[in-house]
Structures are given as C-alpha cells and as structure tokens.
Amino acid sequence: MTDDKRQKVLQIGEVNVQNQTLFAVAVPRNYNDDRLTIMIGSGGSGIDAILDAKKSADNILRENYRNQVMFIAVDADGKKLRQAERCGVATINLSRSGATDRISKYNYRDSFFKAWMPANFSVNFDDEGSNQRRMVGKAKFYDESDGSYVNVLFRNKLREIIQGWGAYQGLPIDIIIASGLAGGTGSGTFIDLAVNARIACAAQGRTAQIYSYLFLADTVEEFNQNITDLNSVYTNCYAALKETESYQCLRQNSKRKEVFQVRDGASKEFDSVSPVFDRVILVSGSYKGSKRIVAECLADLLSDTGGAF
C-alpha cells in the first residue's frame, strides 16, 4: 500500500486507540464481578447506546463478562429490534397488530387507558414506531399481547434473567435504562420500564439500583431541521423531564407518597426512601458524540477499573 492510500484509510472516521490496538485492547480487562447488570435501551437513541456499549464491552472485557451482564432492547420499530437481535440482544416489541382498534377509540379503551389518555386522542397505533408521541409509546407498552400485556412480557424477561442468575444470589443488581427524551417510544416508556423493573425484582425477592441515562432533545436536532419537528422533540423532552422531576422530588419530601399502578393490576409505591430512579444522568451534545460517551461510560462500568455512574 502506498503512503497516499495508507493516509486516506487512516483519515476515515475517528480513531482513538490510546493504549489499545486498533480493534480491541491488547490484553482484555477483567470485568466487575461483584454485581449483576441489566442494560435496557428504549427507543432508537437508547438502543443505539446499549448496542455501542455492548460492542465496546465485547472489545475490552474478557468474554465471560456476559455471565453477569444482560442487554434488552425495547422499541416499537421492527427494523431497530432486528438490528438488536443480530447483535445478540434480547428484544421486546411494543408494536402489536390491532392496537388501533383496542386503544384509539375511546369507547373501546379499558379503564386503565381512560384514566390518563384524553378522550379525543385518536391516532393509528398500528404504525411501527410512536410517531414522536409520548402517549403512543406509553400506550403501546401496556397493549395486549397473546392473552397478556406487553409490560408483563417485559417483567417476564427480567424474571427469566434474574432466575438464570441463581448462582449469583448474593450479588446486587444494577439496572441501567438508556433512553432518548425527544421521540415517542423512549420518552414514553423509560419511567414505566423502571417501575415495572422494580415490580419484577420485588417478585423475585430482590432489589435493584436503577440508573437512567437520558438523551436530551439537542442530541437529535441534526435529524429534525424544520420548526414543526423541533417543536415536537423539545415538547417531548420538556414533558419527560417534568414527569421525572415530579417523581424524583419525592426524595425531598418525607410526607409525600405516590402509588404507580400498571395495567395488569400490579402497583408500586414510591416515597422519599424508595425512588423511581436511584440516579438520573442527563446527556447532551451531538448524536454521535453523546452515544459514544455513554457507550464508553457504560462499558467502563462493567470493568473492574471502577467507573462511576
């Protein structure tokens, strides 16, 4: 290869190998084996983040880290879920046939949807994705599925993972939820994912530390150039942040309690000592840059070098 060709190859993309080889570390690191970790990506931004984190972990950690780390992708977009499956990640598909008939028409909704969905909110729920509507993402998470509900399928997946960790009963569980706040699926489900994760852990006699990595609206500005789309993504983000703030403020008021009811009848009470999230991390910047930072951070958390949330 000539010097000119070699230079052109090296100029493609950004490469920062530091003390590593070009494609992986020279000597794989040990993983942090004093805990169990479930990484959940919701919506496009969240899934991209955990897929990048998994790729980084595969490159820098010893292969047996997978014994104590699991990844789940949650989305209403079949294409994104197929991408996750090709990477060996478990998936929860929120899009269910016939959803419009069950949810869109007020007279056909059950009491769970009527409690929080405006009577005149009528859209096509059968489309893939959530059309940048938080309410659509949330509704799809609680839609019916093969005699059950999608949120129950999610809890069953967590139960399966936790029961599969029988040999690690004494280890604490960390659950990390990565989600964008600008679209419909991620911003409409990230809180409900945390609540259902709490319920699933309690059903197995376990507790978990739950952390959220939330991508702010500016991370997707480059994909939403017209004013209508920009208004939509910033409205979603603002609403999601206000809802998060409401629940997180419980930690500052010992007299306030909130009971979160989910569709199958399960519930979870939150108060000053039992928060929805143990920690909330807000992420800003370009799409590519923000995903890279979070992926590197999450991969480092799995290493025994001692990353911080």
Side-chain angles (χ1 to χ4, degrees):
M1 182 183 291
T2 66
D3 289 342
D4 287 344
K5 287 183 177 180
R6 183 178 294 107
Q7 185 180 35
K8 288 179 180 179
V9 169
L10 292 176
Q11 285 175 342
I12 297 175
E14 299 178 6
V15 178
N16 180 13
V17 298
Q18 298 177 353
N19 63 339
Q20 306 173 13
T21 65
L22 185 58
F23 300 106
V25 292
V27 179
R29 302 180 198 167
N30 290 324
Y31 65 92
N32 189 353
D33 62 359
D34 65 354
R35 62 204 324 103
L36 306 168
T37 305
I38 302 172
M39 291 193 182
I40 302 166
S42 181
S45 294
I47 292 175
D48 283 346
I50 69 162
L51 292 185
D52 284 353
K54 183 178 185 297
K55 181 179 179 181
S56 295
D58 287 345
N59 284 337
I60 68 174
L61 300 180
R62 298 188 185 280
E63 187 175 349
N64 58 353
Y65 89 88
R66 299 171 191 167
N67 294 336
Q68 295 178 222
V69 180
M70 295 296 294
F71 299 85
I72 304 175
V74 179
D75 206 356
D77 182 348
K79 182 178 179 181
K80 180 61 70 174
L81 293 174
R82 288 189 291 274
Q83 177 189 355
E85 288 170 350
R86 289 194 296 270
C87 296
V89 171
T91 60
I92 301 292
N93 190 346
L94 304 185
S95 290
R96 302 286 161 167
S97 177
T100 299
D101 291 337
R102 292 188 294 272
I103 305 173
S104 188
K105 297 178 180 179
Y106 181 79
N107 290 336
Y108 293 144
R109 295 175 193 162
D110 69 14
S111 58
F112 175 79
F113 291 114
K114 287 180 178 179
W116 52 269
M117 186 178 290
N120 61 352
F121 186 78
S122 180
V123 299
N124 184 357
F125 286 88
D126 288 308
D127 286 345
E128 284 201 345
S130 298
N131 297 316
Q132 290 190 340
R133 294 172 181 257
R134 297 186 69 229
M135 198 167 293
V136 173
K138 180 182 178 76
K140 286 190 171 189
F141 182 63
Y142 289 108
D143 191 16
E144 296 175 12
S145 176
D146 301 324
S148 185
Y149 304 112
V150 177
N151 69 298
V152 176
L153 298 181
F154 170 71
R155 295 210 309 265
N156 288 345
K157 175 57 68 176
L158 294 183
R159 180 189 65 193
E160 177 186 323
I161 292 172
I162 294 170
Q163 290 181 347
W165 280 333
Y168 306 100
Q169 279 292 331
L171 296 183
I173 298 174
D174 288 336
I175 296 178
I176 298 170
I177 298 173
S179 171
L181 299 186
T185 303
S187 65
T189 62
F190 73 100
I191 292 175
D192 295 83
L193 288 168
V195 172
N196 278 271
R198 297 271 188 210
I199 294 171
C201 289
Q204 299 302 309
R206 303 295 299 271
T207 59
Q209 297 285 304
I210 300 184
Y211 306 90
S212 63
Y213 283 77
L214 307 177
F215 295 92
L216 299 176
D218 66 319
T219 62
V220 295
E221 273 189 356
E222 61 196 272
F223 309 119
N224 299 274
Q225 295 298 310
N226 67 67
I227 191 64
T228 300
D229 289 342
L230 283 174
N231 284 340
S232 177
V233 299
Y234 274 94
T235 298
N236 284 338
C237 186
Y238 178 77
L241 288 173
K242 291 299 292 183
E243 188 175 2
T244 304
E245 179 187 43
S246 176
Y247 283 112
Q248 292 305 101
C249 282
L250 287 169
R251 308 184 79 163
Q252 311 303 319
N253 187 344
S254 61
K255 296 181 180 180
R256 183 181 161 208
K257 300 180 185 296
E258 293 282 348
V259 177
F260 201 111
Q261 191 84 27
V262 300
R263 190 180 182 190
D264 59 288
S267 62
K268 177 66 178 174
E269 183 176 278
F270 297 101
D271 55 30
S272 59
V273 295
S274 300
V276 175
F277 296 106
D278 292 283
R279 189 167 298 180
V280 175
I281 299 94
L282 302 179
V283 185
S284 180
S286 69
Y287 191 85
K288 181 179 178 181
S290 63
K291 300 303 171 298
R292 184 179 68 247
I293 290 171
V294 170
E296 291 174 354
C297 179
L298 295 181
D300 194 48
L301 288 174
L302 302 178
S303 168
D304 68 357
T305 57
F309 282 99

